[in-house]
């Protein structure tokens, strides 16, 4: 089982976790559509991926824009011939206590994580079903798909929602050999997390070092961050797995923070 020769569209692949998944997939012979809202960073990522000897294309989309998502998935199929793997990964973080959470921020976060997952899934499965080759859909959840933390009401709600979505897609997709699974990482040092450290320090009135030690990594078994590579290896496993034996599941990769 492998991703070799398959076409993977990865949202949010211009940075952080998504970018590393794109690189690891490319190193294992997959062709890559880098789907992101950030054109310059996406073009740079595509150039790096092409240098690894596979085909790659840039797909500029805001995952909350229905028309842009439909056009973007069509572009992937036109440029690379197929879509066999969707990694729905694009995401943002906004932290605030619930009494101060702006409704606009709640809606923005829910739209990118939940609407984005729905829109990309709907567009991708149409092609997967028509091509009749099966497929893999991977949602980027979080330990916050299972657990709550203070200051993260919409993020925790959205990440829990992805598990429900994956279970439905697993049931509906089974007849077409389309599988759906969720990866649930602990904290990974990416721009998304680096931005949160000073914000949480301010909101909780503690130092940035205390945010890392006593908030982010407090419940890990060893005080270590999860890495982009740890998450990419899980994505490689789910993306390459070719039977319905592994579907509707969620895998926590977090240095032991939250044990199922
Ligand atoms: P990141 O900020 O490094 O990358 C996010 C990417 O998503 C960026 O390239 C950005 O341009 C893109 N993006 C943002 N909004 C978009 C939109 N509307 N449409 C298309 N693209 C958009 O973040 P990351 O840490 O790599 O996070 C990736 C995913 O992993 C997110 O879903 C996040 O919730 C999840 N996650 C991250 C961590 C962590 O600790 N970093 C832990 C668990 C889960």
């Amino acid at each position: 089982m492998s991703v070799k020769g398959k076409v993977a569209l990865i949202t949010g692949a211009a940075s952080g976790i998504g970018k590393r998944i794109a690189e690891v997939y490319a190193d294992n012979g997959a062709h890559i559509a880098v789907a992101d809202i950030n054109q310059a960073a996406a073009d740079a990522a595509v150039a790096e991926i092409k240098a690894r000897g596979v085909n790659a294309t840039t797909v500029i989309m805001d995952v909350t824009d229905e028309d842009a998502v439909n056009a973007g998935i069509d572009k992937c199929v036109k440029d690379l011939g197929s879509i066999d793997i969707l990694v729905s990964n694009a995401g943002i973080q906004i932290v605030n206590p619930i009494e101060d959470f702006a409704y606009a921020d709640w809606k923005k976060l829910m739209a990118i994580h939940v609407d984005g997952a729905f829109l990309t899934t709907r567009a991708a499965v149409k092609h997967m079903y028509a091509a009749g080759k099966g497929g893999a859909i991977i949602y980027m959840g979080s330990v916050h798909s299972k657990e709550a933390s203070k200051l993260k009401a919409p993020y925790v709600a959205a990440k829990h929602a992805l598990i429900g979505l994956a279970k439905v897609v697993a049931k509906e997709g089974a007849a077409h050999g389309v599988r759906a699974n969720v990866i649930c990482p602990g904290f990974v040092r990416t721009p998304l997390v680096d931005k949160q450290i000073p914000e949480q320090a301010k909101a909780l009135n503690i130092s940035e070092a205390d945010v890392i030690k006593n908030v982010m990594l407090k419940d890990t078994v060893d005080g270590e961050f999860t890495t982009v590579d740890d998450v990419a290896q899980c994505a490689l496993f789910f993306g390459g797995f070719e039977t319905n034996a592994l579907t509707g599941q969620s895998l926590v990769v977090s240095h032991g923070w939250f044990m199922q």
Side-chain angles (χ1 to χ4, degrees):
M1 297 205 193
S2 130
V3 300
K4 191 168 172 42
K6 292 182 178 158
V7 173
L9 181 139
I10 303 162
T11 69
S15 174
I17 290 170
K19 183 158 188 276
R20 186 64 190 143
I21 293 172
E23 291 165 357
V24 168
Y25 273 22
D27 288 345
N28 283 272
H31 308 297
I32 309 292
V34 171
D36 208 284
I37 201 169
N38 181 335
Q39 171 111 45
D43 286 342
V46 164
E48 279 176 43
I49 287 159
K50 281 185 174 162
R52 293 167 189 254
V54 296
N55 295 334
T57 192
T58 308
V59 171
I60 297 307
M61 63 161 78
D62 176 343
V63 294
T64 69
D65 178 332
E66 184 175 8
D67 292 338
V69 169
N70 289 338
I73 303 270
D74 286 348
K75 179 174 189 287
C76 167
V77 175
K78 183 168 157 283
D79 290 356
L80 302 177
S82 173
I83 177 166
D84 306 303
I85 302 169
L86 165 67
V87 184
S88 172
N89 164 81
I92 59 164
Q93 179 60 281
I94 303 171
V95 294
N96 239 328
I98 198 155
E99 66 272 23
D100 296 330
F101 231 109
Y103 186 34
D105 285 345
W106 166 277
K107 285 198 279 197
K108 182 177 177 192
L109 199 145
M110 294 299 279
I112 293 174
H113 290 267
V114 184
D115 299 5
F118 161 69
L119 290 172
T120 51
T121 299
R122 189 181 63 179
V125 294
K126 283 181 185 165
H127 287 287
M128 290 175 179
Y129 291 177
K133 296 185 289 166
I137 299 186
I138 300 166
Y139 298 104
M140 197 52 63
S142 163
V143 169
H144 288 115
S145 299
K146 312 267 182 182
E147 269 274 20
S149 290
K150 289 176 182 171
L151 312 177
K152 296 189 175 175
Y155 189 82
V156 170
K159 292 301 191 188
H160 275 66
L162 293 178
I163 292 193
L165 176 63
K167 289 177 179 174
V168 175
V169 176
K171 289 199 171 192
E172 292 187 7
H176 305 273
V178 172
R179 301 164 295 284
N181 292 290
V182 186
I183 302 173
C184 301
F187 281 100
V188 182
R189 284 306 286 261
T190 66
L192 179 141
V193 161
D194 287 339
K195 176 174 164 282
Q196 258 179 81
I197 294 170
E199 289 173 358
Q200 288 217 34
K202 192 167 167 232
L204 298 171
N205 198 22
I206 58 177
S207 71
E208 294 189 16
D210 281 343
V211 170
I212 292 173
K213 188 160 177 272
N214 299 326
V215 179
M216 293 183 165
L217 304 179
K218 178 170 71 73
D219 294 321
T220 61
V221 292
D222 53 10
E224 299 275 341
F225 277 101
T226 301
T227 67
V228 289
D229 214 49
D230 296 326
V231 182
Q233 292 302 326
C234 295
L236 186 62
F237 179 67
F238 278 132
F241 205 95
E242 282 171 349
T243 77
N244 284 346
L246 184 61
T247 195
Q249 305 303 316
S250 50
L251 179 63
V252 179
V253 50
S254 65
H255 284 260
W257 170 28
F258 186 82
M259 298 190 190
Q260 322 224 31

